[in-house]
Each structure stands twice: as structure tokens, then as C-alpha cells.
Amino acid sequence: MKNIILFITLLSVSFLQAQSFSGSGDKKIQVGANFQDNATGIFASFDYGLGENISVGISSSYALGINTDNVGKAFAKRFDIKARVNANIGNVINIDDAFDLYPGLHLGLKNFGTHLGARYFFTDGLGVFAELNVPLAKYDTGKLDASEKLHNQFTVNAGVVFNM
């Protein structure tokens, strides 16, 4: 019985020590789903901490579950990659050490935009995330066809995040 209580106590302490963003040198990998009008896909990103509250990274998404009659099967029409910069303000708003809120900007193959994300870590290495993405400037300003709308509209990403 003592061993079970000790195990539960140690496990609880490990949950309390989860830290969301540790500043310079911090590395995060996020993997999840991408949701948008007329498509659902996969999402992945990598962020690297440059300073106490700034990180840079790269993200990519690929649209699945779409009507191929409207979009086609071409990889380039379904794929997007973006460079991104985040302001990690979880420690500024000080909700919880395991929580990070990160507004940011991204520049990709389809548009220039902004995103707002949140991460919550259960342990030092594993957590969950959600991100909202909004395009600010689209490269094609005319009437967009179905394939040009992919990744060029309001999107939501959600999944798991890992500390490296």
C-alpha cells in the first residue's frame, strides 16, 4: 500500500512540474489534425525558442478528405508549408506553468496570416494543443477556385505536442 501511495504522489508531482515554454533553446513538435471548409487533413509543426518569449518555426499541412472532382489529386494543391514566429506569453499571463498561449504570424505558400494557439502539458514531454489560423493577405486576390481555397481560409489545428 505504501508503494502505491508513493507512486501516486510522484506521478502527481510530475504533472505539477510540467512547463510549457522554457525560453531560449526550447523545442516543440506538434502533430495533429487540420480542419477547414471542405477538407480535413494532417498538421505538423516545429518551434524553436529564441528568447524568453519568442520562438520561430515551420509548420505544414496536407488536405485529405476532399472532393477530387473540384480540387484534383495534385500534391501541390493539397500541401502548404509556412515559416512562423510566435510570442509565447504563457508566463506573462501566468495562468499555469503547464499552459502556454502563443499568438503569432506565418508566411506560407498560400498566404500571409496570423495564428493564435494554446498548449497544455500534462508532463514535461507531452501535452495537447489547439490553433486558430486566419489569412491576412492572400496571394491570389481574384475569385478563388476550390483548390485555391484550401489552406487559404480560416483553419483550426488540434493535436498533441511533444517537448524535445
Side-chain angles (χ1 to χ4, degrees):
M1 184 67 171
K2 287 181 184 178
N3 289 338
I4 293 172
I5 293 172
L6 177 63
F7 176 73
I8 292 171
T9 303
L10 290 174
L11 189 62
S12 299
V13 169
S14 71
F15 283 137
L16 295 174
Q17 297 301 320
Q19 186 174 3
S20 60
F21 185 74
S22 60
S24 183
D26 185 69
K27 296 179 223 170
K28 306 257 186 280
I29 291 181
Q30 300 182 141
V31 179
N34 171 267
F35 304 99
Q36 55 186 304
D37 269 352
N38 301 316
T40 302
I42 55 176
F43 170 84
S45 72
F46 174 76
D47 291 324
Y48 180 79
L50 292 181
E52 184 179 355
N53 296 92
I54 300 293
S55 63
V56 295
I58 189 166
S59 69
S60 180
S61 53
Y62 184 78
L64 300 168
I66 58 176
N67 183 348
T68 56
D69 294 337
N70 295 338
V71 176
K73 296 180 181 177
F75 178 83
K77 292 183 178 187
R78 296 172 174 230
F79 176 77
D80 191 23
I81 189 165
K82 300 173 182 176
R84 57 196 256 157
V85 61
N86 301 322
N88 302 84
I89 59 173
N91 65 342
V92 175
I93 58 175
N94 202 18
I95 293 175
D96 187 343
D97 284 344
F99 177 76
D100 184 26
L101 183 68
Y102 57 97
L105 297 171
H106 56 261
L107 178 64
L109 296 176
K110 309 280 184 173
N111 62 46
F112 169 73
T114 185
H115 57 270
L116 175 64
R119 299 179 180 119
Y120 185 81
F121 281 87
F122 302 111
T123 67
D124 282 337
L126 177 66
V128 293
F129 80 96
E131 245 178 49
L132 307 174
N133 298 279
V134 178
L136 297 176
K138 301 173 184 178
Y139 295 141
D140 185 355
T141 57
K143 183 168 171 35
L144 301 179
D145 66 25
S147 67
E148 292 168 330
K149 287 181 183 175
L150 291 177
H151 310 293
N152 209 358
Q153 59 186 320
F154 174 77
T155 64
V156 176
N157 302 317
V160 295
V161 56
F162 304 97
N163 269 330
M164 300 292 296

